[in-house]
Amino acid sequence: MIMNGKYISRIEIKAMWGRKHIVWNLRPDVNILSGVNGAGKSTILNLVADRLDEIADGGAANGPEQNVSFVFEPEGADTINYDVIRSIDRPLMHSNLLEKMADKNVVTELDWQIYRLQRRYLDYQVNIGNRTIQYLTSGSPDMIARAAELARPKQLFLDLIDTLFADSGKKIIRDSNDLVFDRFGYTLLPYNLSSGEKQLLVVLLTALVQDNQPGVILMDEPEVSLDIEWQQQLIQRIIEINPNVQIILTTHSPAVIMNGWMDYVTDVAEITVEG
């Protein structure tokens, strides 16, 4: 889906829980929402994600009847490219999905996210291949130089995953168009990974298939199942793969905001008006 906005500059939620009014002015790069348990972090993110889904399905972006409204940049845009990442690897509860699922390895919500991302990953590779051919056959030195750059994000993604999974002996099989792993000579599907590995794969693969385009990634407590080292690297790794992404996340973990992200944190209390 082609969206005409680049990022969200403002979120407004009326009467959350019937009494809280939320106004959150966002940065174009990284936005981290913190707060005590029960403050409403996950509720805010879920309301935002649900409202973006409504807009993507043809609903109006704003209006007096909308409890959740946005300002997109550039001003005047009424849609945006976005992805929502769910972190909990609980059993897939949608029985209709399970019945229709051709791949019986898909049994949890993270599996379902990986399944959908695998299809986007194939499309991404086809698009990169077509653009590479176009640039190389253009005859323009500038375009030929750009062709070499097209492969860089995918190579970075593959190298990052191999590095991060090295302690468990897993490596991506490079000559496969699908994402499959080798571990000591045995082939593993991504559904065979641990919960933390699946989660990290979903986050970094989402950034990759956005194809360096402006867009938004929303994540609710992405530190779940990730070890401390992965938590510390998470934000920077996403930005390395897609420098144009806007990150909006909630967290309880000090490790996520280490390495220079303290100034990007907003407490729920700072954006809440009672009444």
Side-chain angles (χ1 to χ4, degrees):
M1 180 161 26
I2 296 175
M3 303 293 192
N4 60 14
K6 292 185 177 180
Y7 66 93
I8 303 171
S9 62
R10 181 183 175 95
I11 295 169
E12 187 168 354
I13 302 174
K14 301 175 185 175
M16 188 177 82
W17 299 332
R19 59 188 177 83
K20 291 182 180 288
H21 189 72
I22 306 296
V23 179
W24 190 10
N25 294 310
L26 303 179
R27 301 170 58 103
D29 45 12
V30 177
N31 303 271
I32 303 167
L33 191 62
S34 68
V36 299
N37 287 331
K41 301 185 301 295
S42 295
T43 299
I44 290 170
L45 201 78
N46 287 328
L47 287 170
V48 169
D50 290 345
R51 187 72 191 96
L52 287 171
D53 287 343
E54 291 176 6
I55 295 170
D57 289 338
N62 297 299
E65 74 285 357
Q66 305 296 342
N67 286 337
V68 182
S69 59
F70 306 100
V71 176
F72 297 143
E73 294 294 337
E75 290 187 20
D78 58 6
T79 51
I80 199 130
N81 184 30
Y82 70 98
D83 284 284
V84 181
I85 296 175
R86 309 293 186 187
S87 301
I88 305 299
D89 199 21
R90 57 193 172 196
L92 193 61
M93 302 303 293
H94 303 293
S95 57
N96 59 327
L97 289 178
L98 288 170
E99 291 171 3
K100 295 177 183 178
M101 186 59 58
D103 193 332
K104 298 307 179 184
N105 293 293
V106 179
V107 295
T108 71
E109 293 197 6
L110 278 177
D111 292 339
W112 174 237
Q113 291 182 77
I114 290 171
Y115 176 79
R116 291 185 297 174
L117 283 166
Q118 283 269 39
R119 303 178 70 170
R120 290 175 65 184
Y121 181 57
L122 292 173
D123 290 341
Y124 165 81
Q125 292 177 93
V126 170
N127 290 335
I128 291 296
N130 290 339
R131 277 153 47 199
T132 299
I133 293 170
Q134 179 185 356
Y135 291 173
L136 290 175
T137 58
S138 68
S140 165
D142 289 342
M143 298 295 277
I144 292 172
R146 287 180 61 187
E149 284 296 308
L150 287 175
R152 190 193 66 80
K154 179 185 173 183
Q155 188 63 48
L156 175 61
F157 165 79
L158 297 174
D159 291 344
L160 277 176
I161 292 295
D162 281 354
T163 299
L164 293 167
F165 288 8
D167 287 346
S168 64
K170 301 182 183 76
K171 292 184 178 181
I172 292 177
I173 297 175
R174 302 291 178 113
D175 58 1
S176 172
N177 289 326
D178 294 318
L179 275 175
V180 289
F181 295 81
D182 174 85
R183 188 185 191 192
F184 309 128
Y186 292 92
T187 299
L188 297 178
L189 297 175
Y191 314 115
N192 304 132
L193 301 174
S194 70
S195 292
E197 289 169 335
K198 289 180 188 177
Q199 187 178 329
L200 190 64
L201 179 66
V202 165
V203 171
L204 298 185
L205 185 55
T206 298
L208 177 68
V209 298
Q210 287 185 332
D211 197 9
N212 261 328
Q213 298 301 307
V216 181
I217 292 180
L218 297 108
M219 298 181 286
D220 186 20
E221 298 183 11
E223 68 272 10
V224 175
S225 298
L226 300 184
D227 66 33
I228 295 297
E229 183 180 354
W230 287 1
Q231 292 179 36
Q232 292 174 348
Q233 297 184 50
L234 185 66
I235 294 174
Q236 185 59 43
R237 297 307 193 186
I238 296 170
I239 294 171
E240 287 174 6
I241 293 172
N242 183 4
N244 298 306
V245 72
Q246 180 187 38
I247 299 170
I248 302 174
L249 66 86
T250 70
T251 187
H252 280 292
S253 172
V256 172
I257 59 177
M258 293 172 68
N259 298 332
W261 302 110
M262 282 292 297
D263 291 341
Y264 298 75
V265 178
T266 299
D267 192 280
V268 173
E270 298 174 20
I271 60 174
T272 304
V273 177
E274 298 279 352

